[in-house]
Amino acid sequence: MLIVMQHWATDYDIERVKKTITEMGLKPVAIPGAERTAIGVIGNQGWVEDSPLRTIKGILEIIHVTKPYKLVSRDFHPSDSVVRLGGEVKAGGKSPFLIIAGPCAIESRQQIFKTARFLKKLGVPVLRGGAYKPRTSPHSFQGLREEGVALLAEVRKEVGISVVTEVMSPEHVAMVAEKVDMLQIGARNMQNFDLLKEVGRTRRPVILKRGLSATLEEWLASAEYILFEGNPNVVLCERGIRTFETATRNTADLSVVPLVKAASHLPVIFDPSHATGNRSLVSPLALASVVVGAHGVMVEVHPDPEHALSDGPQSLQFKDFERLQRQLKAMAQFIKMPSKGL
Ligand code: PEP
Ligand code: MN
């Protein structure tokens, strides 16, 4: 249930609503908005009898939410959330279109430093690089793990670039969160609920990728786990879904971007690399994501894609990435998205 307060409701009215909810054996969570406060009711299993609330002054509307998410919904928080990564780097709302780029996996000191310096020179604010890799086959490269995290921490300090990396196991979360600016939950772990709870206990921004076969509702319910544990800094990432089509690695579901923006206040970015699996499709799809309103992209870039240890066929070469960055800037300007920082 969600209680939307009148814009003129006083602190006293809001407190009365919260007290009544507590007396009903439920938990109130107030989210102040630009114009009015909404109060979410958490802890109910089914329909809540709302008559104790009906007589309280200052209530505009009582909405019985039947969806499996509440904290991430627009009803609860009407204005866009902006997730800050430190410094000027942020995602969501009217922030500049965010570009996150880097190799699928951190493979060596030389590879990650070379990529980081290249991106830094272009003004790309965030470097990605996997240390713990979720590979389909156990025989494939599994990532440099702790050594990879340490390299990323070094790059972050020496090059002066924000970094994001995936966490696959709850035990690693606290250690990784200390060393990076942003955590990533991969598509395969979108419904690893213990992992979601653990990243929810940190305050680090989190990229939550959409599961391979997840509906919009399931994806938002997963984000809800993170917010419910107390971490509001979630950025959703569409990365393609499984369909019957085999011509691409996944099917890019760009229509989900405006749908997410309608249903949720969280920022949403797009990953054209995993969505297509094909380098030649990465730039057109990245550009299309600007048009449908994504707040940013995450693109795989490698100094030598032909010899990459993972996802080489979808990784851009430096020169192609440079061109894409220029095109994204032009496209963002064309459709009047803020483009500073591209
Ligand atoms: C990745 O970003 O390298 C990755 C493994 O992505 P996904 O979880 O979307 O497959
Ligand atoms: Mn990859």
Side-chain angles (χ1 to χ4, degrees), residues 104 274 300 311 314:
C104 180
H274 294 88
E300 286 186 340
D311 288 349
Q314 67 193 33

Side-chain angles (χ1 to χ4, degrees), residues 183-247:
L183 302 168
Q184 177 177 322
I185 305 263
R188 290 156 193 81
N189 273 312
M190 188 204 84
Q191 285 185 318
N192 181 338
F193 301 114
D194 283 343
L195 185 60
L196 296 172
K197 286 180 189 171
E198 197 59 35
V199 299
R201 289 183 199 115
T202 75
R203 288 295 171 276
R204 277 275 173 247
V206 181
I207 292 180
L208 176 63
K209 290 196 148 193
R210 181 181 185 183
L212 276 66
S213 306
T215 63
L216 169 58
E217 192 166 284
E218 288 163 343
W219 188 17
L220 294 178
S222 288
E224 182 86 0
Y225 269 88
I226 304 175
L227 271 77
F228 187 48
E229 289 299 326
N231 186 353
N233 303 308
V234 175
V235 174
L236 298 163
C237 179
E238 159 63 28
R239 45 77 72 205
I241 48 171
R242 279 275 166 93
T243 68
F244 57 83
E245 181 57 81
T246 53

Side-chain angles (χ1 to χ4, degrees), residues 137-155:
S137 164
H139 305 301
S140 304
F141 176 57
Q142 301 289 305
L144 296 182
R145 302 177 66 82
E146 286 74 10
E147 192 191 334
V149 178
L151 280 172
L152 208 53
E154 258 188 66
V155 160

